[in-house]
Amino acid sequence: MFRILVKFFIFNYFLVRICLADDSVIKIGIPQDVLDDFHLFLADRTPQEVFTYRTKYSSRDVVETVLLFKILELNKNKYQFFTVNSYERAIKLVQSGTIDIYATTVWKNDVNPAKAFFSDEIIRDGEFIAGIYVKEGSELLKKKFNIRTMKFLSNKAWTRDWKTIKNLGPRSLVSTTTWESVLKMINANRAEATLASFPPSRDLVRYNKIVNLVPIPNVKVSISGTRHWIVSRKSQHAQKLKARLDEMVPKFRKKKEFFKAYMQSGFFNERTVPWNVINRKGHL
């Protein structure tokens, strides 16, 4: 009987320790594909050892994750990743307090300000420029550009993308749930085109295991709105995370670290500067 009681107390002691440990770390939401590329991007480095953002694994999502880690200066035992592949679900998990912070920025209008704190603007209004991407080898690359004949694919939860595409007036617009689903449906010819940010590669191709996406040349789209990191108001770390973002984001802005990261990742893309913006900001 004594041994049973000892085992019971030991079990509960370690159970409490585990629960306390889980509560003490910062839970960071991140899509699985971004997490994979984040690890490949870092290789053997820590985020603090990143001084250039030019790698084949670089993208807007990845460099935003690196920037967030630089700002928060988190040690390995101070955080845990929570993979979430749906943009809409990620926002809900932050607002509910299931995760403390999301690794990449989100559109401000998609978030309830009563349930989340916002960082200062990371992507400012007018800075988000996207390409119209189609399957490599698509016949659309050989034809004269006419958006009204194109079948688009996006996600209704990506509200700014959805509204932008709808205003462009394509032949059709279908919704799916995740970026992986977008790739699979385009690969299966169930849709022809989607909006995506430009990569750092010279050919501007978005290489992927599922399907390679190529931009329609000489056209690009402006998506209005601002993007921010968000922190759950229900998080026990909320005040600490908010204070750190409030302190460091202006400093990173002043030393042009955001501009550097976005330029070197291809999101701010020098090669597409002369391309035509086919929509006007006031119409979005």
Side-chain angles (χ1 to χ4, degrees):
M1 183 66 179
F2 177 75
R3 288 183 178 179
I4 293 173
L5 287 171
V6 169
K7 288 181 180 179
F8 174 81
F9 284 116
I10 290 174
F11 172 79
N12 279 278
Y13 170 77
F14 282 107
L15 182 62
V16 170
R17 287 289 300 274
I18 290 169
C19 290
L20 287 173
D22 286 345
D23 287 341
S24 68
V25 300
I26 294 169
K27 296 184 286 295
I28 303 174
I30 189 170
Q32 184 63 58
D33 60 334
V34 178
L35 179 59
D36 292 341
D37 284 344
F38 173 68
H39 289 312
L40 291 169
F41 176 98
L42 288 179
D44 296 324
R45 301 174 297 176
T46 67
Q48 302 304 323
E49 295 171 324
V50 172
F51 301 104
T52 177
Y53 301 89
R54 295 186 193 277
T55 82
K56 66 178 182 178
Y57 303 110
S58 194
S59 68
R60 176 186 59 78
D61 293 321
V62 169
V63 299
E64 285 179 352
T65 304
V66 174
L67 288 164
L68 181 65
F69 269 74
K70 281 188 160 193
I71 285 171
L72 297 182
E73 294 185 341
L74 294 175
N75 296 322
K76 281 188 176 180
N77 61 338
K78 295 296 183 182
Y79 70 89
Q80 65 184 41
F81 283 119
F82 190 109
T83 55
V84 50
N85 294 321
S86 163
Y87 174 82
E88 184 178 25
R89 181 167 177 260
I91 291 172
K92 287 180 179 178
L93 290 176
V94 171
Q95 293 180 157
S96 69
T98 304
I99 56 180
D100 300 305
I101 190 169
Y102 194 51
T104 71
T105 62
V106 301
W107 295 107
K108 187 172 186 177
N109 288 349
D110 291 340
V111 183
N112 183 345
K115 296 182 178 180
F117 292 115
F118 297 92
S119 71
D120 284 351
E121 297 173 357
I122 306 303
I123 297 177
R124 295 171 291 193
D125 193 23
E127 288 185 337
F128 200 110
I129 302 295
I132 297 176
Y133 274 81
V134 298
K135 184 178 180 179
E136 190 174 39
S138 169
E139 289 297 314
L140 292 171
L141 295 167
K142 304 173 185 176
K143 298 177 181 178
K144 183 178 179 181
F145 174 71
N146 183 356
I147 201 161
R148 298 193 181 280
T149 67
M150 298 173 68
K151 295 184 288 184
F152 267 79
L153 181 65
S154 189
N155 182 344
K156 283 184 179 179
W158 306 339
T159 55
R160 305 311 300 173
D161 294 52
W162 187 265
K163 185 176 181 180
T164 300
I165 297 170
K166 199 170 183 180
N167 286 346
L168 291 172
R171 176 182 171 185
S172 63
L173 174 57
V174 176
S175 181
T176 188
T177 53
T178 65
W179 178 246
E180 183 180 4
S181 178
V182 168
L183 296 174
K184 287 180 177 178
M185 289 179 70
I186 288 179
N187 189 45
N189 298 316
R190 293 174 62 187
E192 295 174 316
T194 192
L195 292 185
S197 54
F198 295 109
S201 57
R202 294 188 65 83
D203 57 10
L204 302 176
V205 175
R206 293 184 63 103
Y207 293 99
N208 192 278
K209 293 178 182 178
I210 298 172
V211 62
N212 294 333
L213 297 181
V214 179
I216 299 288
N218 301 315
V219 295
K220 57 186 179 182
V221 176
S222 172
I223 304 178
S224 68
T226 60
R227 290 181 69 99
H228 310 248
W229 283 306
I230 55 171
V231 175
S232 175
R233 285 182 179 267
K234 293 185 177 181
S235 168
Q236 66 173 332
H237 307 287
Q239 294 303 323
K240 179 175 67 175
L241 291 170
K242 182 180 182 299
R244 186 68 180 174
L245 290 170
D246 288 348
E247 176 191 0
M248 297 304 295
V249 167
K251 291 181 179 179
F252 272 52
R253 174 74 65 195
K254 187 175 182 180
K255 66 178 184 178
K256 301 186 183 301
E257 194 70 14
F258 297 124
F259 180 79
K260 175 183 175 182
Y262 286 140
M263 281 293 291
Q264 293 183 354
S265 69
F267 177 62
F268 291 167
N269 203 290
E270 295 175 290
R271 296 176 187 85
T272 64
V273 168
W275 290 17
N276 296 316
V277 178
I278 62 171
N279 59 335
R280 291 198 301 272
K281 182 179 171 183
H283 288 180
L284 300 184

